[in-house]
């Protein structure tokens, strides 16, 4: 096991009705005037935004607003938000939504305090050292941004989707998590969220670090719970406990606890971010295509951990590593199919794949080589993209 330093400072307030505590929680982190950030309509339609505003008013918190954040959020909304925060002397942000809204709020929180252009953080010119405090009201369990120090933004002009990771600066101060708020999600979004949280665990699980049985078992247990509860939600989308377990799993998948003491991978995410940037595909749906393709290639390069995944997560009973690995990937794909997730680039609507461009964009954004489990060079990467057909 490698040395590590781990702190997950976010306060998670979980359960039915907890959104009514939002104003009190904003007060407790010392904010007086915040910017409320939300998406294109779901939180307004459900009445959540009105409840959150009422809670802020009760606590005497002033607020300004930025709405209309899209999935795969873009730099233009970040710049708009930074201008508002500076003009209105905002001292904190409240994101009401999922990964796209939270990541936009994080970029604004860092950009408002920075003298240059916020994209400097994403293109590697600057490192986020400070940010306005952020609170979250989570409406979709998926990206895990409510507990992560990460933010992912797409630069529309450059067609580049870049993820940054900070240890603490961008971790939300609190996350309000009411599983009932996810009842309005279409099944396709619930399913994409499940694929994304599984991917967050698997990016940590497929590690070359030896002697990490505790985190291996933590990862396997979470994956098994997600698979069980995911199946329940296909049968009964209104099951509260399944919603609650999926929501909490999504946070544990990505708040860092599964990665302690081990080197992480993040190739499938890089492969997917190229597709999101070019085709605006839903992140979790893209991962359902990208991750099995990466695993298939790894089965030929380094099958041991892929085989362990098959045996321990999908109960594969095969001795030979390569065969156990392939059977595990088959069962993972069957699970994704059960969730009605796409399995190929064609299913994602990508009918004109330019594998050379995908490969060069991947290495432009991630560097060469990329990956710890098995380092990827362009010749490897292109084969993985071709395996997505
Ligand atoms: O815009 P609205 O109308 O709110 O609709 C949203 C959006 O269309 C809808 N939605 C959210 N909650 C809902 C709801 N619809 C009905 N009822 C509700 N309760 O769902 C759609 C997707 O929302 P989005 O925020 O995009 O989903 P998600 O949480 O999956 O976030 C995806 C983004 O997060 C990034 C992804 O790359 C992608 O850009 N990621 C962020 C990470 C991080 N910061 O740590 C890590 C991840 O790996 C990921 O890359
Ligand atoms: Zn993800």
């Amino acid at each position: 096991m490698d040395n590590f330093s781990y702190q997950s400072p976010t306060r998670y307030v979980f359960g039915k009705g907890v959104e009514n505590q939002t104003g009190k929680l904003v007060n407790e982190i010392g904010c007086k005037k915040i910017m409320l950030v939300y998406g294109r309509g779901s939180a307004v339609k459900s009445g959540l935004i009105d409840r959150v505003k009422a809670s802020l008013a009760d606590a005497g918190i002033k607020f300004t607003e930025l709405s209309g954040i899209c999935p795969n959020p873009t730099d233009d909304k970040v710049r708009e938000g930074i201008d508002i925060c500076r003009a209105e002397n905002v001292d904190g942000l409240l994101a009401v939504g999922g990964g796209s809204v939270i990541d936009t709020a994080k970029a604004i929180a860092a950009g408002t305090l920075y003298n240059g252009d916020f994209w400097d953080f994403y293109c590697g010119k600057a490192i986020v050292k400070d940010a306005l405090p952020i609170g979250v009201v989570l409406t979709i369990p998926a990206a895990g941004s409510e507990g992560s120090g990460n933010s992912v933004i797409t630069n529309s002009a450059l067609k580049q989707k870049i993820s940054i990771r900070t240890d603490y600066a961008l971790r939300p101060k609190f996350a309000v998590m009411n599983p009932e708020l996810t009842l309005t999600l279409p099944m396709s979004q619930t399913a994409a969220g499940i694929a994304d949280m599984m991917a967050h665990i698997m990016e940590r699980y497929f590690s070359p670090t030896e002697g990490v049985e505790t985190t291996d078992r933590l990862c396997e247990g979470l994956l098994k719970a997600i698979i069980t509860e995911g199946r329940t939600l296909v049968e009964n989308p209104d099951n509260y406990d399944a919603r609650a377990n999926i929501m909490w799993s999504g946070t544990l998948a990505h708040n860092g606890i599964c990665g302690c003491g081990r080197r992480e991978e993040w190739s499938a995410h890089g492969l997917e971010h190229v597709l999101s940037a070019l085709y605006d595909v839903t992140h979790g749906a893209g991962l359902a295509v990208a991750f099995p393709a990466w695993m298939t290639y790894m089965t030929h390069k380094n099958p041991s951990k892929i085989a362990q995944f098959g045996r321990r997560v999908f109960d594969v009973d095969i001795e030979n590593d390569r065969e156990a690995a392939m059977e595990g990937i088959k069962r993972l794909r069957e699970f994704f199919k059960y969730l009605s997730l796409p399995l190929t680039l064609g299913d994602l609507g990508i009918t004109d794949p330019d594998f050379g461009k995908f490969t060069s964009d991947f290495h432009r954004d991630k560097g060469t080589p990329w990956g710890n489990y098995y380092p990827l060079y362009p010749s490897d990467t292109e084969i993985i993209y071709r395996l997505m057909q």
Side-chain angles (χ1 to χ4, degrees):
M1 193 196 289
D2 297 335
N3 292 2
F4 67 90
S5 162
Y6 174 63
Q7 187 182 4
S8 175
T10 305
R11 176 174 174 190
Y12 303 106
V13 182
F14 194 100
K16 295 178 184 177
V18 289
E19 64 273 22
N20 298 325
Q21 298 177 36
T22 307
K24 180 170 91 57
L25 290 162
V26 171
N27 231 331
E28 284 173 13
I29 63 169
C31 295
K32 303 281 176 241
K33 182 171 185 186
I34 59 157
M35 184 159 82
L36 185 59
V37 187
Y38 53 98
R40 297 165 307 168
S42 71
V44 173
K45 198 168 156 206
S46 67
L48 175 62
I49 290 294
D50 282 345
R51 293 207 297 288
V52 167
K53 285 180 180 174
S55 175
L56 293 172
D58 284 350
I61 309 287
K62 294 195 175 78
F63 60 88
T64 174
E65 294 181 45
L66 178 72
S67 63
I69 311 301
C70 296
N72 296 321
T74 49
D75 54 325
D76 51 333
K77 278 288 177 189
V78 177
R79 293 180 212 285
E80 191 184 333
I82 291 170
D83 288 347
I84 298 172
C85 281
R86 286 179 180 158
E88 302 264 343
N89 283 322
V90 158
D91 60 8
L93 288 102
L94 179 67
V96 181
S100 298
V101 170
I102 304 167
D103 288 0
T104 301
K106 286 177 175 179
I108 295 168
T112 300
L113 300 186
Y114 178 62
N115 267 334
D117 179 27
F118 91 96
W119 189 252
D120 288 355
F121 298 129
Y122 293 78
C123 71
K125 271 196 206 153
I127 291 172
V128 178
K129 296 205 180 89
D130 203 6
L132 292 171
I134 303 156
V136 169
V137 179
L138 187 65
T139 64
I140 169 171
S145 188
E146 70 278 6
S148 81
N150 302 26
S151 165
V152 189
I153 300 292
T154 297
N155 185 312
S156 310
L158 301 177
K159 287 218 170 275
Q160 247 184 319
K161 181 175 183 180
I162 303 287
S163 170
I164 57 165
R165 182 174 190 163
T166 64
D167 282 341
Y168 307 113
L170 293 181
R171 292 210 191 220
K173 299 285 180 235
F174 67 81
V176 166
M177 299 168 66
N178 176 358
E180 287 185 326
L181 298 178
T182 71
L183 288 167
T184 50
L185 278 169
M187 192 57 207
S188 58
Q189 286 292 347
T190 300
I194 288 172
D196 191 19
M197 64 183 75
M198 289 178 76
H200 295 157
I201 300 166
M202 290 155 65
E203 298 280 17
R204 293 170 166 99
Y205 186 74
F206 296 120
S207 166
T209 312
E210 305 271 346
V212 283
E213 185 68 0
T214 301
T215 31
D216 269 5
R217 291 296 187 182
L218 195 56
C219 292
E220 291 154 4
L222 269 175
L223 287 166
K224 274 180 163 290
I226 292 167
I227 292 163
T228 302
E229 301 296 15
R231 287 196 174 116
T232 304
L233 285 183
V234 173
E235 301 303 321
N236 182 4
D238 295 341
N239 184 308
Y240 175 82
D241 285 326
R243 290 263 169 212
N245 280 288
I246 287 289
M247 192 174 229
W248 188 225
S249 295
T251 303
L252 295 176
H254 199 41
N255 75 350
I257 189 89
C258 292
C260 289
R262 52 201 296 148
R263 281 193 286 160
E264 300 182 5
E265 179 49 39
W266 299 101
S267 288
H269 266 71
L271 294 161
E272 193 291 315
H273 283 166
V274 167
L275 302 179
S276 297
L278 294 173
Y279 296 93
D280 198 23
V281 302
T282 300
H283 173 60
L287 285 166
V289 176
F291 225 126
W294 178 86
M295 291 166 76
T296 303
Y297 190 64
M298 290 307 132
T299 296
H300 298 283
K301 297 294 180 186
N302 181 7
S304 60
K305 212 63 194 273
I306 318 288
Q308 181 180 305
F309 170 89
R311 293 188 187 108
R312 292 188 180 182
V313 177
F314 280 104
D315 306 316
V316 172
D317 187 15
I318 298 176
E319 221 168 281
N320 176 281
D321 267 3
R322 204 157 279 175
E323 287 170 22
M326 287 310 289
E327 180 60 26
I329 296 165
K330 183 169 154 257
R331 293 187 193 184
L332 175 65
R333 278 205 166 107
E334 281 165 4
F335 176 61
F336 287 158
K337 193 168 175 201
Y338 184 75
L339 296 176
S340 302
L341 284 163
L343 298 178
T344 64
L345 291 176
D347 294 345
L348 286 171
I350 301 173
T351 51
D352 56 343
D354 181 343
F355 297 111
K357 176 161 178 55
F358 296 173
T359 301
S360 59
D361 283 8
F362 175 88
H363 288 285
R364 174 199 64 195
D365 296 344
K366 307 305 275 185
T368 307
W370 175 264
N372 288 317
Y373 187 69
Y374 177 86
L376 298 181
Y377 288 84
S379 54
D380 305 296
T381 307
E382 182 160 344
I383 295 172
I384 299 173
Y385 274 120
R386 287 182 183 278
L387 285 168
M388 299 182 198
Q389 291 176 92

